Amino acid sequence: MSKGTVVLAYSGGLDTSCILVWLKEQGYDVITFLANIGQDEDFEAARKKAESLGAKKVFIEDLRSEFVEDFIWPTVQANAVYEDRYLLGTAVARPCISRRQVEIARREGAQFVSHGATGKGNDQIRFELTCYALYPEVEIIAPWRIPEFYNRFRGRKDLMEYAQQHGIPVPVTPRAPWSMDANLMHISYESGILENPKSHAPADLYLMTKNPENSPNAPDVLEIEFRNGVPVKVTNEKEGTSKDSPLEIFSYLNVIGGKHGVGRIDIVENRFIGMKSRGIYETPGGTILLKAHLDIETFTMDKEVRRIKQGLGIKFSELVYNGFWYSPECDFVRHCIAKSQDNVEGKVQLSVFKGQVYILGRESPKSLYNEELVSMDVQGDYDPCDASGFIRINAVRLREHHRLQGLSGTNSAKK
């Protein structure tokens, strides 16, 4: 008798194929779900593999457009960067995948969901917090946290032996000595030989971007048009080509950024679970958009609003990284950030060249830039004499601090 139905987040790889068969051994009916979020994958081969291994149903869902519009665009509006460097490509994909996994589970009457995330990483948290938020009654089966599973499969060798015993097709090409996760926004690399933080990344590791040294010797000049803080059109000014749908815009920026080696980082970051990890990331399109959005935002947004919004962007980045996309606080922060983008509208011209993005110019009907006011050659409505009082008022605090504490501190030191 079946223990119930489980929806497994399936990749078609060795780990989740073994998990599929193992779940069946435990007495579950298994539905597999594979999300297309822009990774290079043979989806039809994955379908056939899951069916051959006994999946009750196989769902392959194209989530690329909603990934861009519902998840990547809010990160662009937020200028979302975790710990000053990581553009959250994996973190922002997890709630997108989990949302659809839960929809399938509810529709199919499945009481359980399962995933192949390890017990040491962030992804287990991101997947499960989303599932619990959107399907509070769900039960989660996380094999890599179940002693009977992880004691049985202590490494890749054990998985390979299990696969051969159960007729699971095994990879015929040698495995790269690191793990990789790819989607439309980025590719991440970690583990294996990369766990030594001193070891340099091999030259053949990068799949999404060219080495800047080998990139073209002429730049691509782009114009990106924004409305409400999100890109609505990108034009290559030399070629005269343009893209205006969200998926096409982001895909095209990936191509241009990848061609010029933009968006590579090698960092050590702080995982939510409490340990540091080394990760290497390629985020070409996201890096171009971050530079462009920062520019148009500063051009059109009030200084004090932007100061508050910067703090919200940092908080948003932490919430997304830690898996709280569907928390009430993240919902509140997203709404505040979206409101801040009401007037973030206009066009940014930029050059993409040899691993860098260079801003060339910008224009906006909502600009707060007053050329006459700021000009050194035109006085306009500004009276320079007013600056004297402004400086004196701001100096009151500094004078008093150094008169009272600075002087006493000096005298104490002399004694």
Side-chain angles (χ1 to χ4, degrees):
M1 185 176 173
S2 172
K3 289 183 178 178
T5 301
V6 54
V7 177
L8 170 66
Y10 184 68
S11 69
L14 180 63
D15 286 37
T16 53
S17 293
C18 288
I19 289 172
L20 193 169
V21 175
W22 181 82
L23 287 169
K24 284 176 57 62
E25 280 186 337
Q26 308 309 303
Y28 295 98
D29 292 326
V30 182
I31 294 172
T32 56
F33 157 61
L34 175 55
N36 175 3
I37 49 171
Q39 71 273 37
D40 183 14
E41 186 79 59
D42 187 338
F43 294 101
E44 198 50 44
R47 177 192 298 280
K48 291 176 180 174
K49 187 174 185 179
E51 288 172 344
S52 72
L53 297 176
K56 182 181 172 184
K57 288 186 180 179
V58 179
F59 289 90
I60 297 177
E61 307 273 315
D62 187 347
L63 305 183
R64 290 174 299 168
S65 290
E66 63 186 71
F67 181 37
V68 175
E69 295 175 53
D70 296 349
F71 296 91
I72 296 178
W73 276 183
T75 70
V76 172
Q77 290 178 310
N79 301 319
V81 182
Y82 178 70
E83 294 187 335
D84 304 313
R85 294 183 288 179
Y86 172 44
L87 271 62
L88 298 164
T90 296
V92 79
R94 297 321 186 211
C96 178
I97 295 168
S98 299
R99 180 173 74 176
R100 183 57 60 90
Q101 185 177 11
V102 163
E103 287 173 4
I104 292 169
R106 282 185 173 277
R107 192 167 68 235
E108 296 296 317
Q111 310 96 308
F112 305 92
V113 296
S114 183
H115 60 77
T118 70
K120 285 188 176 182
N122 293 310
D123 280 344
Q124 57 179 339
I125 305 168
R126 295 163 180 160
F127 279 126
E128 295 183 29
L129 289 181
T130 297
C131 291
Y132 284 131
L134 301 182
Y135 188 1
E137 310 82 30
V138 77
E139 294 183 54
I140 294 172
I141 301 172
W144 288 112
R145 297 204 307 267
I146 298 172
E148 296 92 328
F149 186 89
Y150 66 70
N151 286 327
R152 183 175 180 180
F153 303 107
R154 293 183 176 274
R156 186 171 174 82
K157 182 173 178 287
D158 291 338
L159 288 169
M160 292 285 280
E161 287 178 1
Y162 181 80
Q164 288 165 350
Q165 292 165 8
H166 292 81
I168 302 170
V170 296
V172 292
T173 53
R175 186 191 185 202
W178 52 77
S179 69
M180 183 186 91
D181 181 73
N183 63 46
L184 188 66
M185 190 171 181
H186 84 165
I187 301 180
S188 66
Y189 309 88
E190 62 180 10
S191 303
I193 63 171
L194 303 178
E195 287 178 351
N196 180 348
K198 186 180 177 182
S199 64
H200 295 200
D204 63 347
L205 174 139
Y206 298 96
L207 300 179
M208 205 172 181
T209 58
K210 272 192 175 183
N211 186 328
E213 294 176 4
N214 303 323
S215 64
N217 291 319
D220 274 284
V221 178
L222 306 178
E223 180 178 83
I224 303 177
E225 182 177 351
F226 288 87
R227 195 173 302 129
N228 297 122
V230 299
V232 294
K233 186 176 183 180
V234 59
T235 303
N236 188 312
E237 300 210 323
K238 287 187 176 179
E239 297 177 0
T241 56
S242 64
K243 309 290 180 185
D244 57 12
S245 78
L247 180 56
E248 285 182 333
I249 288 170
F250 200 80
S251 299
Y252 183 70
L253 291 175
N254 274 339
V255 171
I256 297 298
K259 170 181 164 185
H260 291 280
V262 166
R264 293 183 174 189
I265 61 167
D266 183 331
I267 64 172
V268 171
E269 69 199 62
N270 288 297
R271 288 181 179 171
F272 186 33
I273 207 161
M275 61 187 79
K276 292 186 185 291
S277 66
R278 192 259 188 102
I280 297 175
Y281 302 98
E282 301 177 274
T283 318
T287 300
I288 295 172
L289 281 177
L290 175 64
K291 303 285 188 183
H293 182 265
L294 278 167
D295 191 79
I296 198 67
E297 183 177 82
T298 305
F299 194 49
T300 56
M301 186 179 288
D302 174 79
K303 171 188 172 184
E304 295 303 322
V305 172
R306 188 169 185 277
R307 182 176 293 176
I308 295 168
K309 189 261 176 181
Q310 275 184 295
L312 291 173
I314 292 169
K315 182 63 178 176
F316 174 75
S317 302
E318 292 171 351
L319 290 169
V320 173
Y321 185 87
N322 293 340
F324 288 94
W325 184 279
Y326 286 105
S327 65
E329 63 271 29
C330 192
D331 186 57
F332 172 75
V333 170
R334 277 201 310 277
H335 277 82
C336 292
I337 290 171
K339 176 61 180 173
S340 79
Q341 302 295 294
D342 283 352
N343 293 318
V344 180
E345 177 181 328
K347 299 175 182 178
V348 178
Q349 297 83 38
L350 53 86
S351 169
V352 187
F353 184 58
K354 296 289 184 186
Q356 297 296 322
V357 180
Y358 301 97
I359 302 296
L360 304 176
R362 76 285 294 160
E363 57 185 303
S364 171
K366 303 287 183 70
S367 166
L368 293 177
Y369 180 85
N370 185 330
E371 190 173 349
E372 184 178 280
L373 179 64
V374 79
S375 173
M376 294 294 186
D377 301 319
V378 180
Q379 185 168 318
D381 293 332
Y382 178 77
D383 185 346
C385 295
D386 292 343
S388 299
F390 178 78
I391 294 166
R392 281 197 298 271
I393 291 296
N394 277 280
V396 169
R397 178 176 60 87
L398 305 182
R399 281 173 158 171
E400 287 301 287
H401 171 78
H402 288 283
R403 183 176 71 82
L404 297 171
Q405 292 188 358
L407 185 62
S408 64
T410 304
N411 292 338
S412 298
K414 286 179 180 177
K415 291 176 184 176

